[in-house]
């Protein structure tokens, strides 16, 4: 049996969600929440005893591939764009004292 959404529950939800609702909005929200709980109760009526638990809805497994470098080492071209170089590396300003 579904829990009945009462004024106290609605007030707690408003506090937790940081909502400021008018009385009309609270009543509408209570009706909507009650419909959701009723729907969940309806789902509980289903016989799931023959259904095995699962962690995912799809039976796909991870597909792994080899990590193969395809763009190669373009070291010289990258260093050509560097404003300063030192020992075949980018030279950057010192950032700590």
């Amino acid at each position: 049996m579904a829990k009945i959404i009462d004024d106290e529950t609605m007030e707690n939800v408003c506090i937790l969600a940081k909502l400021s609702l008018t009385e009309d909005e609270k009543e509408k929200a209570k009706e909507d929440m009650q419909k959701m709980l009723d729907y969940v109760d309806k789902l509980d009526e289903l016989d799931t005893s023959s259904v095995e638990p699962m962690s995912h809805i799809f039976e796909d497994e991870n597909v792994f591939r080899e990590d193969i470098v395809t763009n190669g080492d373009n070291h010289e071209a990258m260093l050509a764009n560097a404003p300063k170089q030192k020992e075949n590396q980018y030279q950057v300003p010192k950032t700590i004292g």
Side-chain angles (χ1 to χ4, degrees), residues 92-97:
V92 296
K94 189 174 183 178
T95 57
I96 56 175

Side-chain angles (χ1 to χ4, degrees), residues 68-78:
I68 300 170
V69 176
T70 58
N71 60 352
D73 180 20
N74 205 359
H75 186 76
E76 289 81 20
M78 289 189 294

Side-chain angles (χ1 to χ4, degrees), residues 44-56:
D44 283 342
E45 294 174 11
L46 293 173
D47 177 23
T48 58
S49 60
S50 62
V51 178
E52 289 200 30
M54 58 184 168
S55 62
H56 300 288

